[in-house]
Amino acid sequence: MKDQLIEIILEVASDLQAEEEIEVDEALQVDTPLFGEGGLLDSMGLVPLAIAVEQAIEERLDAHVSLADEKALSQANSPYRSIGSLAEYAANELTSRVDG
Amino acid sequence: MHVDFLLEVFERNAQRSALVWRGRSFEYGWLLDAYRSWQERLTEEQLPSGSVVSVEADFSPQVVALMLALIERNCVIVPLTSSVEQHKPEFREIAQVEISIEIDAQDNATLNSTRISVDHEILRSLKQRNRPGLVLFSSGSTGKSKASVHDFVPLLEKFKVPRNCFRTITFLLFDHIGGINTLLYNLSNGGCIVTIQDRRPETVCAAIEEHAVELLPTSPTFLNLLLVSEAYKNHDLSSLKLVTYGTEVMPESTLRRFHALFPEIRLLQTYGLSELGIMRSKSRASDSLWVKIGGEGFETRVVDGLLEIRAQSAMLGYLNAESPFTQDGWFKTGDMVEVDGEYMKILGRESEIINVGGEKVYPAEVESVLQTMDGVEDVAVSAEANPISGQIVKARVNLTHEESLTAFRKRMREFCKGKLSRYKIPQKVQIVETSLHGERFKKMRRA
């Protein structure tokens, strides 16, 4: 599932990067920093990315996950560090929901 | 007594058509006879003067005659149309309806006693003063339906000044202040109203063509659906001289497109509220959202960007809510406005403004842009709570063709770029099948 999530996030982030004409040195990949130092997004871009990923997950995986809520914000390690960390957070959220 | 000035118009225009109903024309002479028959019937039925009476029907010749007879009998009229079918029992309770009069599709009436008694202070005071009244329920598009009570006498007053009349479609029903206004305006000037059985663009266009309609009073939502449906292509609308629109904010894009298609038709923005009545208004131009509102009996002021109005024809109060008036009688409309000299531009309801990280977004501005996108039939923009930015902009969309959310979303964000500031572009999109407007063709922004 994590691979699928990475694929979705890469796609959404690339669209956003193109739309907002954010300059990048190389193509986006798993360890591309998203938010914070050297990150792809500023504070105005974070919410649109999180919501777009949520909606893409809903459409393609038919599952609901919150990526822009109190819980995501209060993680000891921010899920928004990189594309990979966001995918990991989303995967954990999705599996814990199935188990619980 | 109250309706004498109308009866004089009826006598002078006895041969002229007052109403077109189900394709048949009814003259003023007919209406006068029907009014007198109703007076007799109400006496026979021993309907007490001053009763609270619901008139449960859609526009019809008998309904018009009955309403006038009820006004003359100092009754309080509670119009309930089929658009509020499921709310009727609740609305009868709130309005303390004593007698319900139902008029069926064949225009036959049945009277029933409800066994409800009247104890609301406002209704009792109307009874004591022998004044006819009117109870109107708000559409509830921004909360619960509120019942406003009017003294009918000041409402009738402004129609005593003769004005030009047009053959008019009754787009707004008679349970709406705009519908009552259309009816009284035409009756007091010997005009003709054309009633319609439903309000699909096709039906409305067919009625305009068949009955040479000159005036269409409607809502921005309907004008947008008319443009999207292209129903106007199948009919000759050349009789139409004037289109008035109100009840909600007009998207600039809809206004411009309509004006470009029909440059000969004058477009006039109206402003009215069930609490205050309809004001006189003048648009700066057919393609302009700037409007001058007021007229005799109305005063306006803007406090902190919000429009306040004091009106002689203001309601007495709500039956089911606190009085919304200030101590000195001003009504806070809740509408945010921009002012330029004598003109103002209505931006939207204060309660519907979306706050994205401290930046204000008016739903109408975003809707106006999205409505010009290919494949978008209708759109409603609202706020959704978000822990990071406080709120986000959410768009619910009806599409004309199937399209995946991902594809639409991408297309939408590209389309909006350069047309809307970044924070105004909807972060969340929902493609929905359900209608985005209510029975009164007013946008329902709450999902």
Side-chain angles (χ1 to χ4, degrees):
Chain A
M1 179 159 57
K2 200 177 152 196
D3 290 346
Q4 264 177 306
L5 289 168
I6 287 173
E7 197 182 308
I8 289 173
I9 299 169
L10 274 172
E11 200 180 309
V12 172
S14 305
D15 283 349
L16 202 66
Q17 175 232 327
E19 261 173 44
E20 311 229 331
E21 292 164 19
I22 304 168
E23 285 184 25
V24 285
D25 298 334
E26 50 186 31
L28 302 187
Q29 46 198 307
V30 180
D31 59 2
T32 301
L34 274 181
F35 188 62
E37 208 187 325
L40 184 70
L41 307 165
D42 61 8
S43 59
M44 291 289 292
L46 181 60
V47 175
L49 176 91
I51 306 283
V53 172
E54 281 177 14
Q55 289 211 278
I57 291 173
E58 240 172 85
E59 192 184 34
R60 288 188 230 169
L61 307 181
D62 197 23
H64 181 78
V65 61
S66 287
L67 300 178
D69 63 2
E70 304 288 358
K71 191 176 169 193
L73 283 177
S74 57
Q75 294 294 304
N77 290 316
S78 163
Y80 311 116
R81 289 185 321 269
S82 67
I83 288 178
S85 68
L86 186 58
E88 195 165 335
Y89 178 77
N92 282 338
E93 283 297 290
L94 285 167
T95 39
S96 67
R97 194 150 312 177
V98 174
D99 297 341
Chain B
M1 180 181 67
H2 305 303
V3 299
D4 285 353
F5 75 104
L6 291 173
L7 302 181
E8 282 166 27
V9 177
F10 295 5
E11 270 164 21
R12 280 203 307 276
N13 294 286
Q15 308 299 319
R16 290 186 58 166
S17 181
L19 193 105
V20 174
W21 183 68
R22 302 197 170 211
R24 195 188 139 192
S25 171
F26 294 79
E27 283 76 39
Y28 275 99
W30 182 95
L31 196 55
L32 201 54
D33 290 342
Y35 163 76
R36 295 204 172 112
S37 305
W38 265 113
Q39 280 194 306
E40 282 166 27
R41 176 152 178 203
L42 296 179
T43 305
E44 274 166 30
E45 302 262 5
Q46 298 179 334
L47 183 95
S49 155
S51 300
V52 179
V53 181
S54 66
V55 177
E56 307 191 9
D58 288 318
F59 259 126
S60 81
Q62 290 293 355
V63 166
V64 176
L66 169 61
M67 288 206 5
L68 299 178
L70 288 171
I71 293 173
E72 202 59 14
R73 227 178 158 78
N74 295 326
C75 290
V76 176
I77 301 171
V78 186
L80 298 176
T81 65
S82 51
S83 68
V84 295
E85 197 60 51
Q86 66 274 38
H87 296 294
K88 279 182 182 172
E90 178 197 345
F91 285 2
R92 278 187 215 113
E93 289 283 338
I94 293 171
Q96 305 191 331
V97 169
E98 296 164 290
I99 312 282
S100 73
I101 304 184
E102 204 174 316
I103 297 190
D104 66 18
Q106 282 70 48
D107 224 11
N108 298 316
T110 328
L111 278 71
N112 284 302
S113 168
T114 61
R115 297 173 209 283
I116 297 172
S117 57
V118 172
D119 62 9
H120 198 287
E121 200 187 335
I122 300 176
L123 296 171
R124 286 174 63 154
S125 107
L126 278 171
K127 273 191 197 230
Q128 275 156 13
R129 293 184 292 125
N130 291 319
R131 301 282 272 217
L134 176 68
V135 177
L136 296 172
F137 285 87
S138 65
S139 64
S141 56
T142 52
K144 69 166 185 175
S145 287
K146 289 182 195 154
S148 47
V149 189
H150 285 267
D151 179 336
F152 229 125
V153 176
L155 272 188
L156 289 170
E157 198 53 39
K158 75 169 183 175
F159 297 103
K160 291 181 178 168
V161 184
R163 298 189 192 277
N164 288 333
C165 61
F166 300 99
R167 287 174 75 80
T168 308
I169 279 207
T170 52
F171 186 84
L172 301 164
L173 302 180
F174 80 111
D175 60 356
H176 184 278
I177 189 75
I180 294 281
N181 191 63
T182 300
L183 175 66
L184 293 174
Y185 186 97
N186 277 280
L187 294 181
S188 58
N189 290 295
C192 176
I193 54 171
V194 175
T195 64
I196 43 179
Q197 301 311 314
D198 69 71
R199 288 173 290 171
R200 288 180 299 127
E202 186 61 35
T203 310
V204 173
C205 289
I208 292 171
E209 179 174 17
E210 189 180 346
H211 304 291
V213 169
E214 297 164 305
L215 167 59
L216 170 64
T218 187
S219 69
T221 291
F222 177 79
L223 289 178
N224 182 59
L225 294 176
L226 176 67
L227 292 173
V228 175
S229 71
E230 300 192 337
Y232 55 87
K233 287 186 173 167
N234 308 328
H235 299 279
D236 175 7
L237 304 188
S238 58
S239 59
L240 207 54
K241 291 179 183 157
L242 178 63
V243 169
T244 62
Y245 58 90
T247 79
E248 59 181 350
V249 177
M250 170 64 101
E252 196 148 13
S253 59
T254 305
L255 186 69
R256 287 188 193 285
R257 273 188 298 158
F258 190 90
H259 181 63
L261 262 172
F262 300 102
E264 304 300 321
I265 298 176
R266 201 155 64 85
L267 286 155
L268 170 71
Q269 184 170 177
T270 57
Y271 191 84
L273 295 161
S274 43
E275 290 87 350
L276 302 175
I278 306 277
M279 302 166 78
R280 289 186 61 74
S281 61
K282 188 172 183 272
S283 289
R284 189 180 266 170
S286 279
D287 60 354
S288 170
L289 290 174
W290 290 95
V291 63
K292 199 156 73 178
I293 56 177
E296 205 176 324
F298 290 97
E299 294 167 85
T300 59
R301 70 179 184 195
V302 177
V303 179
D304 298 331
L306 288 163
L307 177 61
E308 296 187 3
I309 299 170
R310 191 154 64 177
Q312 276 169 17
S313 60
M315 65 164 184
L316 301 169
Y318 291 127
L319 290 177
N320 57 347
E322 292 290 304
S323 168
F325 296 105
T326 63
Q327 285 283 327
D328 49 352
W330 289 86
F331 179 82
K332 297 180 173 182
T333 65
D335 282 326
M336 301 283 299
V337 295
E338 211 177 304
V339 179
D340 180 14
E342 288 184 291
Y343 288 87
M344 55 180 91
K345 189 170 168 182
I346 296 150
L347 303 172
R349 308 284 307 159
E350 187 193 20
S351 60
E352 291 182 345
I353 292 176
I354 308 165
N355 190 321
V356 183
E359 303 274 6
K360 275 182 189 168
V361 182
Y362 292 97
E365 185 191 353
V366 181
E367 286 160 359
S368 175
V369 171
L370 296 188
Q371 243 145 25
T372 59
M373 266 180 81
D374 282 341
V376 171
E377 182 175 283
D378 203 3
V379 54
V381 167
S382 60
E384 185 171 286
N386 179 278
I388 301 177
S389 56
Q391 292 182 321
I392 58 169
V393 180
K394 178 172 90 175
R396 287 182 303 136
V397 192
N398 288 158
L399 295 179
T400 53
H401 302 93
E402 203 164 306
E403 186 172 359
S404 77
L405 181 64
T406 309
F408 176 76
R409 186 192 169 88
K410 192 169 172 184
R411 200 159 66 81
M412 176 200 78
R413 294 191 63 91
E414 272 161 17
F415 183 84
C416 291
K417 214 168 128 182
K419 300 186 180 77
L420 287 173
S421 312
R422 202 172 153 201
Y423 63 91
K424 293 180 181 172
I425 302 176
Q427 289 94 33
K428 189 156 189 171
V429 184
Q430 286 174 344
I431 296 172
V432 296
E433 304 275 327
T434 49
S435 168
L436 297 173
H437 59 79
E439 286 279 355
R440 290 174 178 170
F441 281 82
K442 187 171 171 177
K443 199 150 282 187
M444 302 289 264
R445 294 203 174 90
R446 294 175 312 136

